[in-house]
């Protein structure tokens, strides 16, 4: 079902904000014609839904690190892989075809910066707190926005080309 009206988008954004990933297909097939009366409200609603889902991801990510003792690179790899999978709905949202291009690019840029910040924080903490930081840093190196994008949008590289980011090759070098 294609969503085209402000009311339909509001409902779909509310469902997405509350954790419903099924509405992502509606975002891809939908469209919205911005006019002076709804443009600002629409952008605010999209931003709220995005922020809420990002907050849910952060809470899940923090809970994973607080509830599990990460003593080896395998445990860190499992935690990061689960976190990467949990980020896929956010990636799908910021690359949805139904969103206006300027809004999509803004959300995409924010999510890229967010993932880079999370990775930097993890890297800093690993270096400070662990004796075997080299192996953990190698595992952490795989947690980047490009690997999340590659997993989600391997068949649609459009957002990657718009931001002049080269696509990942899918190969990893393991020493």
């Amino acid at each position: 079902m294609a969503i085209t009206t402000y009311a339909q988008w509001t409902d779909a954004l509310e469902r997405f904000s509350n954790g419903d990933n099924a509405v992502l297909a509606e975002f891809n097939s939908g469209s919205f014609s911005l006019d002076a009366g709804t443009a600002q409200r629409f952008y605010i609603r999209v931003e709220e839904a995005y922020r809420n889902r990002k907050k849910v991801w952060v809470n899940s990510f923090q809970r994973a690190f607080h509830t599990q003792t990460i003593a080896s690179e395998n445990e860190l790899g499992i935690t990061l892989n689960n976190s990467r999978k949990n980020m896929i709905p956010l990636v799908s949202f910021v690359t949805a075809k139904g969103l206006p291009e300027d809004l999509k690019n803004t959300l995409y840029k924010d999510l890229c910066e967010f993932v880079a910040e999370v990775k930097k924080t993890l890297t800093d903490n690993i270096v400070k707190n662990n004796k075997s930081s080299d192996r953990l840093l190698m595992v952490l190196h795989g947690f980047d926005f490009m690997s999340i994008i590659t997993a989600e949008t391997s068949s649609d590289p459009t957002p990657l080309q718009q931001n002049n980011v080269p696509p990942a090759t899918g190969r990893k070098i393991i020493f």
Side-chain angles (χ1 to χ4, degrees), residues 65-137:
F65 277 93
H66 290 296
T67 60
Q68 299 172 355
T69 303
I70 299 176
S72 71
E73 60 270 5
N74 289 338
E75 293 168 351
L76 178 63
I78 290 168
T79 302
L80 292 177
N81 191 39
N82 290 338
S83 297
R84 188 175 325 156
K85 287 178 183 175
N86 291 338
M87 174 110 19
I88 290 176
L90 272 171
V91 172
S92 296
F93 181 70
V94 302
T95 58
K97 294 176 180 145
L99 293 175
E101 286 301 315
D102 62 334
L103 180 59
K104 195 173 7 177
N105 290 336
T106 301
L107 294 175
Y108 183 87
K109 182 181 176 192
D110 180 76
L111 194 57
C112 286
E113 291 170 357
F114 173 71
V115 171
E117 183 180 325
V118 168
K119 185 176 179 178
K120 181 182 179 328
T121 301
L122 286 173
T123 303
D124 293 346
N125 286 335
I126 286 173
V127 169
K128 279 194 289 187
N129 299 328
N130 291 330
K131 295 174 186 161
S132 62
S133 62
D134 292 340
R135 288 182 284 166
L136 294 175
L137 287 173

